[in-house]
Amino acid sequence: MTSPHNLPVTTEWRMNGQQFMGPATTLLSLLLVMAVDSTRTVAASRNPQCGNSLQQTLKLTRLIQKESVDLIKTYKVSQGEMSELFCKVSVNNVPDPNISGLDPSERIVSIYTHLQAFVPHFKRVYEQQTDLQSPKSPLLTQLTSVSARSRNLAALINAFYQSVFPNLPIPEPAGGATTLPPPQNVFQQKVYGCVVLKTYKEFLSNVSNELRTLKFKVCRRRMQLNTVF
């Protein structure tokens, strides 16, 4: 039977134990909070890389989109009469302006392969217009500029894809090399060039919208995953 004399001692020991456990529990809680904050800090430091890369790509896309609008205006002026009708004619073998794919990785690949597909078409239009325009024509200068920027955009898209999906290499285009139209007369060349530029402008508009969507689907998702782990 416990004597009354021992009761205060037991109570004091238990109280001292609680006093000892209190600081230990507080320290453990503090360490856990610091660990979570550290994880979030790492996530936050990684996420801007994704967002900044995408923002840089979007900025270049908008620049080329603006230049493509000016390019079409210059093109129409340089083609003489009936230039407004040239873009309304249907032409085969011009890349589709729409982006395909179900998940973000497939849609980024679609953007990249489309950009690659437009390159030989720009080259063909430039070659045709070189025969139709004077060497100092502003059209030729603008065609060269847009084509060069498009290759730069393709490189940015490729780099962004590799950073976000390092284990998924970009596949080769399923259709192989881009199909160009057969030899054309002057009227067909003027129509073809206008359709290529018009389609490319539409494609860039779709790319701009897609990149804004990817910013939420890809970059924020990476931040959430990094925060969890």
Side-chain angles (χ1 to χ4, degrees):
M1 181 175 180
T2 306
S3 65
H5 177 72
N6 292 332
L7 182 57
V9 176
T10 304
T11 303
E12 182 180 358
W13 180 85
R14 289 176 179 172
M15 291 179 62
N16 289 339
Q18 290 175 355
Q19 291 174 358
F20 173 77
M21 290 301 294
T25 303
T26 303
L27 178 61
L28 179 59
S29 299
L30 180 60
L31 290 174
L32 289 174
V33 170
M34 291 175 62
V36 171
D37 287 343
S38 176
T39 302
R40 289 177 178 172
T41 301
V42 172
S45 65
R46 290 177 180 173
N47 186 60
Q49 295 179 3
C50 178
N52 292 341
S53 175
L54 198 56
Q55 188 63 31
Q56 181 183 9
T57 306
L58 180 58
K59 183 177 181 181
L60 180 58
T61 302
R62 289 171 174 168
L63 174 61
I64 305 173
Q65 187 178 1
K66 179 182 180 300
E67 290 182 343
S68 69
V69 173
D70 297 334
L71 176 57
I72 291 176
K73 292 179 181 178
T74 303
Y75 186 89
K76 289 180 178 180
V77 170
S78 66
Q79 302 308 306
E81 298 180 358
M82 299 177 60
S83 60
E84 289 294 333
L85 300 177
F86 293 153
C87 289
K88 298 180 180 180
V89 179
S90 177
V91 176
N92 296 326
N93 300 325
V94 175
D96 189 337
N98 297 314
I99 299 168
S100 61
L102 299 177
D103 58 57
S105 65
E106 292 177 346
R107 298 186 72 79
I108 297 174
V109 168
S110 178
I111 294 174
Y112 177 76
T113 53
H114 272 70
L115 287 167
Q116 295 289 80
F118 271 106
V119 170
H121 286 281
F122 273 117
K123 183 178 179 181
R124 173 63 64 84
V125 172
Y126 181 87
E127 291 171 350
Q128 292 176 343
Q129 292 300 314
T130 298
D131 295 333
L132 300 176
Q133 308 296 326
S134 67
K136 296 183 179 180
S137 171
L139 174 61
L140 300 179
T141 302
Q142 289 179 253
L143 278 170
T144 301
S145 176
V146 170
S147 180
R149 291 192 194 277
S150 297
R151 289 192 292 271
N152 292 337
L153 180 58
L156 285 179
I157 292 290
N158 190 359
F160 175 71
Y161 178 89
Q162 297 296 342
S163 67
V164 178
F165 305 103
N167 298 322
L168 296 175
I170 291 184
E172 294 295 328
T178 301
T179 303
L180 295 174
Q184 301 168 310
N185 58 39
V186 173
F187 176 78
Q188 291 173 328
Q189 290 178 10
K190 292 183 176 184
V191 168
Y192 167 71
C194 199
V195 172
V196 168
L197 300 184
K198 176 187 174 184
T199 305
Y200 187 64
K201 181 176 73 69
E202 294 175 2
F203 167 68
L204 290 174
S205 179
N206 293 334
V207 172
S208 181
N209 293 332
E210 188 66 29
L211 292 178
R212 286 196 296 268
T213 301
L214 286 171
K215 185 173 183 179
F216 294 96
K217 286 186 176 181
V218 177
C219 294
R220 284 195 174 185
R221 180 182 177 186
R222 282 170 60 85
M223 180 180 69
Q224 292 171 353
L225 288 175
N226 287 332
T227 301
V228 170
F229 294 103

